C-alpha cells in the first residue's frame, strides 16, 4: 500500500528518447539513489522508452508508472499534458503521438533558417548531433548546440535570447488539440495531468478556460509541486486543484545533470490536503 502524500514520487522527467541527456536506465538508477519511491519517465510526445524504463525500475526495486508529456496548442500557447499509468502499447495513443511528432523536422529546418539570418549558421546539423531520437528534434537540442558553439553561456540564456516567441529561431507550431491529447491518454486507461501550469503566459480567463475544458474532456489531475514552480505557485495551484476537483501530481521535470535546477526526487512533498494522483493509479503501478 502506497502511503498518502508522504511519498517521494517523481512523475515527470526526460531521457535521451526525447530531450534529456540520460538513458532510461541511468535515470532509474539516479532516481533510486535520490530516494525516489515511485517514478515515471515522461518523454515528450513519445512512449519509445517506456518498456526500458519499466524494466530498469524493476531492476532497481523502484515502483513505476508509464508516462508521456504531450505537446498541445491551446489559446495560442503550447501547453503540456502529462499522461500517467496508460498502456504504452495502445495503438491509438501511439498513432496520436506519431502525428504530434510529425512536424518537428520541418520546424527544425525553419528554426535553423531563422538562426542563420542572425548569423548563427549550421544549427540544424549542430542540433542533430545532440538528438538521441531522430523523430524528436526539439528546441532543447538547438539550445545545446548554441551553448557548445559559444553563442550563449547556458541553455537558460538561449531561451532568454532565442527560440521563444518574438526571438530569432522561434517558429510557431501547431501541436495536438487538448481534446485529442486527453482522450488518447484516457482511452489507453491512463490519467491526464496538466503539466506545470505556472509556466504558461495565460490571462486569468484563459487559464480558467484551460482547466474547465481539460476537466470537460476527462482530465483528472494537475502538477502542483514541479521543478518549474515557485513555492508561491505550489500554493496557488494547490488551491486551483481544490477548486476544480483535480488530483495533484509532483515531478522534477529533470532533463540533465548539467542543466536541470531540480534533481530527481528533490522537491517538497505535496501539500497534505490534496489527493495525490498516485491514489487514483494504485492498480497501474508496476
Ligand atoms: P519543443 O518541444 O521543441 O518546443 O521544446 C520544448 C523544451 O524546451 C521544453 O520541454 C524544455 O525542455 C525546453 N525549454 C523551453 N523553455 C525553456 C527555458 N526557458 N529554459 C530551459 N529549457 C526550456
Ligand atoms: Mn523538455
Ligand atoms: Mn513541459
Ligand atoms: Mn517536461
Amino acid at each position: 500500500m502506497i502511503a498518502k502524500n508522504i511519498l517521494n514520487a517523481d512523475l515527470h522527467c526526460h531521457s535521451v528518447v526525447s530531450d534529456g541527456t540520460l538513458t532510461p536506465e541511468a535515470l532509474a538508477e539516479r532516481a533510486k539513489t535520490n530516494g525516489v519511491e515511485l517514478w515515471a519517465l515522461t518523454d515528450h510526445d513519445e512512449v519509445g522508452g517506456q518498456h526500458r524504463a519499466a524494466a530498469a525500475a524493476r531492476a532497481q526495486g523502484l515502483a513505476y508508472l508509464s508516462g508521456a508529456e504531450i505537446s498541445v496548442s491551446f489559446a495560442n500557447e503550447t501547453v503540456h499534458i502529462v499522461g500517467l499509468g496508460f498502456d504504452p502499447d495502445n495503438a491509438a495513443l501511439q498513432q496520436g503521438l506519431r502525428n504530434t511528432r510529425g512536424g518537428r523536422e520541418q520546424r527544425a529546418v525553419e528554426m535553423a533558417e531563422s538562426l542563420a539570418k542572425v548569423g548563427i549558421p549550421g544549427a540544424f546539423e549542430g542540433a542533430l548531433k545532440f538528438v538521441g531520437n531522430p523523430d524528436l528534434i526539439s528546441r532543447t537540442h538547438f539550445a545545446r548546440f548554441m551553448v557548445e558553439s559559444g553563442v550563449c553561456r547556458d541553455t537558460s540564456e538561449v531561451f532568454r535570447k532565442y527560440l521563444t516567441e518574438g526571438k530569432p529561431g522561434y517558429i510557431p507550431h501547431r501541436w495536438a488539440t487538448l481534446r485529442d491529447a486527453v482522450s488518447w491518454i484516457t482511452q489507453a486507461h491512463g490519467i491526464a495531468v496538466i503539466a506545470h501550469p505556472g509556466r504558461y503566459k495565460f490571462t486569468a480567463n484563459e487559464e480558467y478556460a484551460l482547466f474547465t475544458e481539460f476537466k470537460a474532456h476527462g482530465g483528472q489531475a494537475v502538477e502542483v509541486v514541479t521543478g518549474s514552480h515557485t513555492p508561491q505557485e505550489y500554493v496557488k495551484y494547490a488551491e486551483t486543484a481544490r477548486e476544480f476537483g483535480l488530483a495533484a501530481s509532483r515531478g522534477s521535470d529533470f532533463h540533465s545533470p548539467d542543466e536541470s535546477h531540480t534533481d530527481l526526487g528533490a522537491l517538497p512533498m505535496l501539500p497534505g490536503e490534496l489527493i495525490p494522483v498516485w491514489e487514483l493509479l494504485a492498480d497501474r503501478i508496476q
Side-chain angles (χ1 to χ4, degrees):
M1 178 65 193
I2 302 278
K4 289 265 302 176
N5 297 24
I6 310 304
L7 179 81
N8 193 341
D10 194 323
L11 305 180
H12 189 149
C13 71
H14 300 272
S15 77
V16 290
V17 173
S18 62
D19 61 348
T21 61
L22 301 184
T23 61
E25 291 76 16
L27 286 167
E29 191 180 339
R30 192 178 184 97
K32 183 72 181 181
T33 302
N34 289 2
V36 172
E37 295 163 281
L38 174 64
W39 176 51
L41 171 66
T42 56
D43 278 311
H44 294 284
D45 306 323
E46 174 67 275
V47 290
Q50 289 305 306
H51 289 297
R52 276 174 73 183
R58 204 175 310 122
Q60 296 286 344
L62 182 58
Y64 188 74
L65 281 168
S66 61
E69 181 177 23
I70 306 181
S71 312
V72 159
S73 296
F74 185 88
N76 294 320
E77 258 274 16
T78 299
V79 163
H80 286 166
I81 300 295
V82 163
L84 295 171
F86 51 75
D87 167 14
D89 298 322
N90 182 275
L93 171 68
Q94 289 192 350
Q95 185 59 46
L97 295 180
R98 206 172 294 124
N99 293 345
T100 306
R101 291 193 298 270
R104 279 187 179 268
E105 186 173 359
Q106 179 58 31
R107 169 190 184 233
V109 168
E110 292 171 30
M111 285 167 64
E113 286 167 2
S114 166
L115 290 171
K117 285 189 192 137
V118 296
I120 304 167
F124 181 76
E125 295 73 18
L128 263 189
K129 282 193 296 173
F130 292 92
V131 169
N133 172 359
D135 238 16
L136 218 120
I137 182 161
S138 93
R139 285 186 291 160
T140 315
H141 303 113
F142 278 81
R144 290 185 186 134
F145 159 71
M146 289 162 77
V147 172
E148 181 207 46
S149 56
V151 176
C152 291
R153 270 188 313 277
D154 55 30
T155 52
S156 66
E157 185 185 347
V158 176
F159 284 100
R160 274 199 309 278
K161 296 183 177 167
Y162 302 94
L163 310 186
T164 48
E165 196 165 354
K167 310 280 166 63
Y170 180 73
I171 300 295
H173 194 73
R174 183 145 298 280
W175 303 105
T177 64
L178 182 65
R179 177 196 294 272
D180 283 349
V182 173
S183 79
W184 297 332
I185 294 163
T186 51
Q187 53 82 42
H189 310 293
I191 283 189
V193 187
I194 297 179
H196 44 62
R199 267 182 44 182
Y200 312 128
K201 294 177 187 69
F202 284 144
T203 63
N205 280 347
E206 287 168 338
E207 185 175 82
Y208 187 85
L210 171 67
F211 278 83
T212 305
E213 291 182 34
F214 173 75
K215 255 251 13 155
H217 296 321
Q220 293 186 72
V222 57
E223 287 184 348
V224 171
V225 176
T226 119
S228 303
H229 281 175
T230 62
Q232 291 85 344
E233 287 169 332
Y234 302 159
V235 175
K236 174 178 175 186
Y237 290 104
E239 182 51 39
T240 309
R242 278 193 297 272
E243 184 189 343
F244 284 88
L246 295 170
S249 192
R250 174 181 187 267
S252 57
D253 208 353
F254 180 78
H255 282 71
S256 161
D258 300 328
E259 296 164 11
S260 298
H261 306 295
T262 310
D263 207 336
L264 283 162
L267 284 167
M269 294 295 167
L270 277 183
E273 69 281 12
L274 300 175
I275 297 167
V277 68
W278 50 90
E279 281 207 348
L280 310 182
L281 287 160
D283 60 338
R284 277 156 276 183
I285 294 173
Q286 304 174 51

